Amino acid sequence: MFDVAVIGAGAAGMMAAAVAGQRGLRVVLIDHARRLAEKIRISGGGRCNFTNIGTTPANFISQNPDFCRSALSAYTPRDFLDLIRKHGISWHEKHRGQLFCDESSEDIIDMLRRECDAGKVSWRMPCSVSEILREADAFRLATDQGPIEARRLVLATGGMAIPQLGATDFALGIARQFGLKVVEPRPALVPLTFDPASWAPFSELSGVALEVCVRSKPEGSKATSGRARGAAPAVFLEDLLFTHRGLSGPAILQISSYWNPGETIHIDLAHAQDLERELLDAKPGSRQQLGTVLAGLWPKRLAEQLLATLDAAAPDLATRRLADVPDKMLRRLASRIHDWALMPSGTVGYKKAEVMRGGVDTRGLNQKTMEARSVPGLYFIGEAVDVTGWLGGYNFQWAWASGVACGRALAG
Ligand SMILES: Cc1cc2nc3c(=O)[nH]c(=O)nc-3n(C[C@H](O)[C@H](O)[C@H](O)COP(=O)(O)OP(=O)(O)OC[C@H]3O[C@@H](n4cnc5c(N)ncnc54)[C@H](O)[C@@H]3O)c2cc1C
C-alpha cells in the first residue's frame, strides 16, 4: 500500500511525486512510456523553455480564469529558478521573459529524476493502467505489472498533443468515470488551415514570415460571452509564417488557442504603420506603381499576392500609379491590410499541436490542492486540467506550480 500513486511521469507528475516523497510519503510513479518525459525532451527545440519570468494568471486560458491564481502564486518562476540553480543548470532568457536551458532539456529531466530519487519515489515504467477502482480508503489500480494500491491518486497524464509520443486522454476518462465534468478538449498552440481553394493563391507564399498583430476579434470589439470573464479579445504581436496549407508561426499558434470553428481571426499586416495616412501623403504626383510602394513594406511576393487577392474589382491595382488610385480605394486597401479577416477551416490537429486546451473542469477541483471536490483523495494536475498557457514557457510553469500545490497538499 502506497500513500500516493501518481499516473504520468511528465513535468507535473514528477514534480508532485518529488515534493510528496521528500515530505515523507511513500509514492509510486507510473508511466506507460518507455522513455521518460518525452515532451520535456522535445520542448523548446531541445532546450526546454522551462518557464516565463513574467508569468501571471492572464497568460492562461480557462473557463474558470481565477483557478490558476493560487498555485501560480504559491510556486513562482523564481522558485523554479532556485531549483535549477541548486542543480547547477545554466540557463538564458531568449525574449519576452522566456527562459531556456543553455545546454539541453535533458538537464531538466535529470533534475526531476534526482528530485524523485531524493524523495525515494518508486517507479513503474513502462506500465499501463487498465482499471481504477475506489475502495473504502484506497484506490486500487489494475496494471500490467500487477495491482497497485494507494490511499491517494494523482492523475498527471497530460493532454492529447503529439499522440505519436504516447499522449492520451486517460485523465479525462478517469475524470468522467468519477463523475467530474470535462471542458471539451481541442488542439491548441497549433497551425491553422484554410479551405484549399481559397488558400491556393497564398500557398505559394509558403516560407514567407513577418511580424504581425493578430486578434481573435476585430479591433474595438467586446469579448463575447463564454470567453474568459471580463477579458478583452486576445491580441498578440508575434511572427506569422505562411505554409502550404495555411498559417503558422508564434502569432498563429497563440491565437489558435482562442479560436473556435466558424470564427474569423484578424491580422494587421502593417501594425507599425498608419497605412492610410502614408499612402494618401505619398499619393500626390507619385509615379510609383502601388505594387512597388507596398513591396517596400513586405516581402515582394506577399505584396503582389495581397494586391491580387484583396480587391477582386481591381485586378490591375498593383500596376496602377499611386497618383491614379482613388483615395477611397487607398483607404479601403489600408483598412483591409490592417484588418485581414480570415476564416480558418480547421487546425492541423493534435499531431502537430503543442498543447491541448480544455480538460478536467476546474470548477470541480480545489484550487489550492488540485483535489476533486466530490472525490476525496483524487487529484488532477498539469495539462490534463482546463488551464492552458500561452506559448513561451507558461505551460511548464503551470505543470510545476500545479504539481507542487498537489505534492504539498498530499503531505499536508
Ligand atoms: C513539441 C512541443 C514543444 C513544447 N515546448 C514547450 C516549451 O518549450 N515550454 C512550455 O512551457 N511548454 C512546452 N510544451 C508543452 C509542455 O510540454 C506541456 O504542457 C507539459 O509537458 C505538460 O506537462 P504534464 O506533466 O501535464 O504532461 P506531460 O509532460 O505530457 O506528461 C504526461 C505523462 O503521462 C504519460 N501518460 C499519458 N497517458 C498515459 C497513460 N494512459 N498511462 C500512463 N501514463 C500516461 C506520458 O507518457 C507522459 O510521460 C511543448 C509541447 C510540445 C508538444
Side-chain angles (χ1 to χ4, degrees):
M1 171 73 89
F2 289 94
D3 294 316
V4 183
V6 180
I7 309 180
M14 280 200 278
M15 191 58 128
V19 169
Q22 289 175 24
R23 289 170 184 229
L25 298 186
R26 292 191 60 228
V27 181
V28 60
L29 186 47
I30 304 161
D31 200 296
H32 68 170
R34 300 208 154 268
R35 254 183 122 188
L36 182 59
E38 286 280 28
K39 287 236 182 114
I40 300 181
R41 183 170 290 106
I42 61 169
S43 67
R47 292 234 162 93
C48 187
N49 176 195
F50 55 79
T51 192
N52 191 299
I53 204 71
T55 302
T56 74
N59 305 120
F60 295 85
I61 303 156
S62 172
Q63 296 231 329
N64 182 15
D66 289 331
F67 177 82
C68 60
R69 272 179 194 285
S70 171
L72 289 174
S73 63
Y75 191 80
T76 67
R78 300 265 166 217
D79 293 318
F80 192 74
L81 277 179
D82 288 344
L83 182 65
I84 72 164
R85 270 195 209 102
K86 187 178 109 187
H87 287 261
I89 299 171
S90 57
W91 54 273
H92 60 279
E93 181 173 343
K94 246 194 181 164
H95 76 309
R96 298 181 185 168
Q98 300 171 7
L99 307 189
F100 287 75
C101 296
D102 282 350
E103 301 292 331
S104 159
S105 45
E106 298 280 353
D107 292 344
I108 301 289
I109 301 174
D110 292 344
M111 174 188 85
L112 292 168
R113 199 194 326 239
R114 286 200 295 272
E115 287 289 313
C116 286
D117 289 346
K120 299 191 172 52
V121 171
S122 301
W123 292 83
R124 298 284 186 281
M125 196 181 154
C127 175
S128 292
V129 180
S130 52
E131 191 179 45
I132 298 176
L133 294 176
R134 187 161 179 252
E135 292 173 351
D137 58 350
F139 291 87
R140 194 174 164 81
L141 280 53
T143 83
D144 58 8
Q145 289 196 25
I148 296 175
E149 275 194 342
R151 271 183 256 283
R152 273 156 313 159
L153 177 63
V154 181
L155 268 300
T157 50
M160 284 189 272
I162 321 280
Q164 55 278 35
L165 283 184
T168 68
D169 63 352
F170 188 79
L172 309 190
I174 300 303
R176 292 191 186 101
Q177 177 190 330
F178 283 97
L180 273 73
K181 291 210 171 88
V182 169
V183 175
E184 187 193 345
R186 291 231 182 100
L189 298 182
V190 63
L192 296 172
T193 56
F194 295 86
D195 164 55
S198 66
W199 194 251
F202 297 103
S203 62
E204 61 195 62
L205 294 176
S206 177
V208 168
L210 71 158
E211 190 183 72
V212 300
C213 182
V214 62
R215 297 170 182 275
S216 57
K217 302 270 179 293
E219 196 166 1
S221 60
K222 295 258 185 315
T224 54
S225 59
R227 285 272 323 284
R229 196 167 12 102
V235 184
F236 295 97
L237 185 63
E238 298 263 18
D239 283 350
L240 167 144
L241 174 70
F242 284 83
T243 69
H244 282 295
R245 291 179 63 193
L247 293 173
S248 185
I252 296 303
L253 300 190
Q254 297 281 32
I255 213 70
S256 73
S257 300
Y258 289 88
W259 177 76
N260 295 305
E263 292 179 358
T264 48
I265 57 167
H266 298 261
I267 302 173
D268 185 344
L269 290 160
H271 69 89
Q273 279 151 308
D274 180 347
L275 208 54
E276 180 182 314
R277 191 181 53 72
E278 287 180 31
L279 289 173
L280 291 176
D281 286 356
K283 176 179 164 177
S286 172
R287 301 176 63 82
Q288 272 196 311
Q289 291 184 345
L290 186 54
T292 313
V293 175
L294 292 188
L297 293 178
W298 303 303
K300 190 160 175 279
R301 282 197 292 158
L302 174 60
E304 285 169 358
Q305 217 31 267
L306 279 172
L307 279 172
T309 51
L310 270 177
D311 201 328
D316 63 335
L317 211 48
T319 53
R320 282 204 213 166
R321 290 189 320 171
L322 182 55
D324 298 337
V325 183
D327 287 3
K328 204 171 127 195
M329 194 168 265
L330 287 178
R331 282 200 189 91
R332 208 166 82 220
L333 178 65
S335 95
R336 292 183 78 173
I337 288 170
H338 282 303
D339 183 12
W340 190 30
L342 290 163
M343 170 120 29
S345 59
T347 75
V348 298
Y350 284 117
K351 273 191 176 168
K352 296 270 170 68
E354 276 203 15
V355 291
M356 172 186 87
R357 131 193 178 200
V360 179
D361 192 331
T362 59
R363 288 165 287 208
L365 304 179
N366 179 317
Q367 62 185 359
K368 290 204 164 61
T369 63
M370 308 292 135
E371 188 175 19
R373 292 183 191 284
S374 55
V375 190
L378 181 64
Y379 299 72
F380 292 86
I381 56 175
E383 201 184 305
V385 171
D386 173 35
V387 175
T388 308
W390 290 358
L391 188 73
Y394 304 100
N395 283 296
F396 278 132
Q397 187 56 37
W398 169 246
W400 317 135
S402 59
V404 169
C406 172
R408 286 175 180 163
L410 288 164

